[in-house]
Amino acid sequence: MMIFFKERLAFLAVPKTGTSALENALGPKASVIFRDPPGIKHTNARSFEAKYRQLFERGNLPPLETMAVMREPVEWLGSWYRYRQRPALNGHQNSTAGLSFDDFVAAYLSDVQPAFANVGQQSRFVTDQSGDLLINHLFSYHDLAAAIRFLEDRLDRQISLKSINQSPKQDISLSPALSAELRKTCALDFEIYQALQDGPLSIA
């Protein structure tokens, strides 16, 4: 999470959406950066509104607006799966070594998720309890150019991204049955991402 106080903007970092690269590029401009622990670094919209907004509001200033980036749901899970296959996690409860992507998604969809599949849900990151969008400016991971244009205009600076924390490429195709179950269970994720195909989403 990064706060740009003068520009009245809070960047909320949805995991596995290029946030490390953006943090690296924008860090010198940010008023505040929450890097650790992960639960604070990746503060979701609900927690931001409940715990942090009041810290940065001033009576004579406009309220902070929030922005975030969302990734296609299967690809997002695939990024987690690949990231947790790295050798540094061998033997750890979060490791996905030796598992197929189907195994990972089946565990993710289970009633009691094992540690390696407990990665949250993007829709819960960007919506309120009713499932309504709680982010002022939401961008698609596949249209980062739009997010960068928005940030360049808002922060009045050019932005150059460098790849950070990229996981090795792997096949993340799903069996038809698991694909259907995922789309049913995570319907809101797919609905929001589909809406982003027409361009960034904004709320007043």
Side-chain angles (χ1 to χ4, degrees), residues 11 18-19 21 26 59 82 100 105 115 125-126 141-142 148 181 192:
F11 180 88
T19 53
L26 299 174
R82 296 193 308 271
S100 69
V105 173
F125 195 103
V126 301
Y141 177 82
H142 287 286
I148 290 171
E181 185 179 353
I192 295 171

Side-chain angles (χ1 to χ4, degrees), residues 4-203:
F4 302 93
F5 184 79
K6 292 181 181 179
E7 294 82 4
R8 310 306 294 152
L9 182 68
F11 180 88
L12 304 187
V14 180
K16 315 310 293 177
T17 60
T19 53
S20 295
L22 284 165
E23 180 185 300
N24 188 60
L26 299 174
K29 180 70 174 178
S31 305
V32 180
I33 303 177
F34 295 85
R35 292 190 173 94
D36 289 303
I40 294 179
K41 175 181 179 179
H42 296 294
T43 294
N44 63 33
R46 299 178 198 180
S47 292
F48 176 78
E49 297 297 335
K51 300 177 182 179
Y52 299 105
R53 174 177 290 282
Q54 62 183 351
L55 299 176
F56 304 103
E57 298 293 353
R58 297 292 184 273
N60 60 336
L61 293 175
L64 259 70
E65 294 183 345
T66 54
M67 74 165 289
V69 176
M70 184 176 181
R71 195 166 183 171
E72 194 281 324
V74 176
E75 186 179 280
W76 182 75
L77 287 173
S79 183
W80 274 115
Y81 166 71
R82 296 193 308 271
Y83 181 66
R84 291 188 163 183
Q85 288 206 328
R86 66 193 192 278
L89 284 182
N90 285 350
H92 191 279
Q93 62 178 353
N94 286 345
S95 176
T96 56
L99 296 174
S100 69
F101 186 51
D102 267 14
D103 292 335
F104 175 74
V105 173
Y108 178 77
L109 293 170
S110 64
D111 291 335
V112 180
Q113 293 173 329
F116 65 80
N118 185 9
V119 296
Q121 197 169 334
Q122 289 183 98
S123 60
R124 292 177 185 168
F125 195 103
V126 301
T127 64
D128 62 18
Q129 295 284 357
S130 300
D132 295 323
L133 190 64
L134 196 55
I135 297 286
N136 295 108
H137 306 280
L138 184 63
F139 297 86
S140 167
Y141 177 82
H142 287 286
D143 191 13
L144 275 181
I148 290 171
R149 288 193 299 270
F150 171 82
L151 286 164
E152 287 181 332
D153 181 66
R154 190 67 173 256
L155 305 179
D156 192 25
R157 65 173 295 165
Q158 287 189 320
I159 298 171
S160 178
L161 293 187
K162 296 180 180 179
S163 296
I164 295 176
N165 291 342
Q166 281 198 328
S167 302
K169 299 296 182 183
Q170 281 182 268
D171 177 43
I172 56 168
S173 57
L174 279 175
S175 66
L178 272 176
S179 179
E181 185 179 353
L182 179 64
R183 287 181 174 276
K184 180 179 179 181
T185 301
C186 300
L188 185 56
D189 293 68
F190 286 95
E191 179 184 330
I192 295 171
Y193 187 77
Q194 183 59 43
L196 283 170
Q197 303 319 291
D198 294 326
L201 299 178
S202 297
I203 59 172

